[in-house]
Amino acid sequence: MFLRKISGIFPAGFGLRLSQKFIFLLFLSGFITLCFGTLFLLPDTSKFKRIFLSSAHNQNVEKLHSYAGKKMSKKTVEDQKSIIRNSQHEKWKSKDKFNMDVPSFGVIAKNNDRAEKEKIFINKEHIIAQKDQLKSTFDYETFRKNLKYPPLGSEHEPKNIEMQEKRKKVKEMMMFAWNSYKQYAWGENELRPLTKDGHFGSLFGGLKGATIVDALDTLFIMGLKEEFEEAQKWIETSLDLNVNGEASLFEVNIRYIGGLLSAYFLSGKEVFRDKAIGLGNKLLPAFSTPTGIPRGIINLGNGLTWSWGWASAGSSILAEFGTLHLEFVQLSELSGNTIFTEKVNGIRKLLSKIEKPNGLYPNYFSPVSGNWVQHHVSLGGLGDSFYEYLIKSWLMSARQDNEAKSMYYDALEAIETHLIRKSPGGLTYIAEWRGGILDHKMGHLTCFAAGMFALGARDAPAQKRDHYMELAAEIANTCHESYARTDTKLGPEVFRFDFGAEATASRLSERYYLLRPEVAESYVYLWRLTHNPKYREWGWEIVQALEKYCRIESGFSGIKDVYSKSPNHDNVQQSFFMSETLKYLYLLFSEDDLLSLEDWVFNTEAHPLPIIHLKSS
């Protein structure tokens, strides 16, 4: 049929004149060359998948069903199996990003070959990292001498005998969780206590031992020396950074880099420092976007990056790219390589200048166009730890990072104006904002905000300090009510304030509890800043509920329905249970100088990082 459309050529093709045959063969050879050339120029095999697999197939392969994660995503096992690539790689707009003088790489790729460009970028970052590695002036002994309090405090046991017993109970829970993991899942990422095995999940790009790295500092502060040393030995011999897999930039940063950094600052063991810096170098290619805003997923082997498949229009997520600052500043401090700080400062500068709807930061941002993608604002999943890292960046800089301070208090004003409401029953809550329409619900993740408000109250304008402490107490009370109104005395994943609901989950899909720490976290800050005994009482209620409903024969497990006195278990002992939940409960029953707030800030995985002195921004 195609030949019939060319004038002078018969359908059979046998009556062609010589000149017509020549023209036809020339056209055919050009067409074949074009087809094969296009295939060879495709940067990687994933392109073939996207071309030849139907959209229906791509949608049904695996879906990320919810943002159930810690400060974006601490996911259930089902979530962890559902990472997918975004369907498009955006084209680079700036040729300057790859105009690098690196002669050892040979011929520089053509402008339209993204894969080759990214390889060059990765190698360039590697050279910068190696070149600057020896410039660090950090001295561990000097650092320790400058702390106001010993990391483990001046008193190894609380003065109050009742608190001693409660703290011992939390320590016993830690030992049980650790030994269960060691027996059934050693070296894997998390324990599945019902089936007595482990799983690697798909958030960590082939990295192993997430529970080991996450638990390091908790073992240390609890004085579990033998367990800490066996964890250190595993990291020395078995934590291989040369893996080739798809990792969440956010999760690798807060769990692995955060855990390794805190272990180094507490113990002084160089292996933790070296591993943290090495892993930090592997994350740098994620920033190779037109805006400098990193994508959410990175292949730790080849450095290629892409966005979450469920993220609107290839967006990056506020709670992911906004939760890097603490760890990356510390990486620069330890390595002498300023590139880590430069990367996160670039994010900060962009966000400080961009227009924000009603002063609020939406959750979805395009790393290509530099614009907000959706006007969905939340202090729960997708947004939460961005705000947390603003106030903590101010504190970690010894109150020198004025840009972070200004952004935090401006955001807090907008949050109070547009998101914070009071229920008919008198409970203060933080709603979600969707283009001007409020969704009257709170996630368990949002309960961290009570601690954040309390932590930031001291440096607020004088007329606001008492108000922010009152607001923190009200949010903590609401979160306590979400626990108290269940049969298990553990809080649901989401609780609502609409259609007659008051701090209760109204949907079956929101009734689960994943061993989350946010409520205990806020109790710690409020206890230390007010010494109101109710926060310790509320914390003990959590301990008792965990023992009764989450402790099973071979570890601790989340439960599927907090409103059932005989709940089914989800078969996951989350790594953050040891990193955060048990650590915060242990600190709640300890003296204030154990990891004093005058010396330390906690990253969003509860890994303590020291306050350092930076130049004023």
Side-chain angles (χ1 to χ4, degrees), residues 192-229:
R192 296 192 294 188
L194 285 178
T195 51
K196 298 182 180 180
D197 58 5
H199 72 92
F200 289 117
S202 53
L203 291 175
F204 308 115
L207 294 172
K208 299 179 180 180
T211 290
I212 297 174
V213 178
D214 243 357
L216 278 166
D217 48 21
T218 307
L219 295 171
F220 189 90
I221 68 169
M222 289 186 179
L224 298 172
K225 296 181 180 179
E226 181 178 336
E227 290 75 15
F228 180 84
E229 289 171 358

Side-chain angles (χ1 to χ4, degrees), residues 43-55 58 84-90 114 246 305-307:
D44 57 53
T45 56
S46 64
K47 292 288 186 183
F48 291 95
K49 296 177 183 178
R50 293 177 185 134
I51 292 172
F52 297 115
L53 291 181
S54 69
S55 60
N58 285 332
I84 59 176
R85 292 191 178 195
N86 188 14
S87 61
Q88 295 181 345
H89 282 299
E90 297 88 348
R114 180 173 182 263
E246 303 167 1
T305 65
W306 57 96
S307 299

Side-chain angles (χ1 to χ4, degrees), residues 438-455:
L438 285 183
D439 189 358
H440 296 274
K441 69 176 184 179
M442 259 183 89
H444 193 292
L445 291 168
T446 316
C447 287
F448 90 98
M452 179 180 74
F453 293 160
L455 191 62

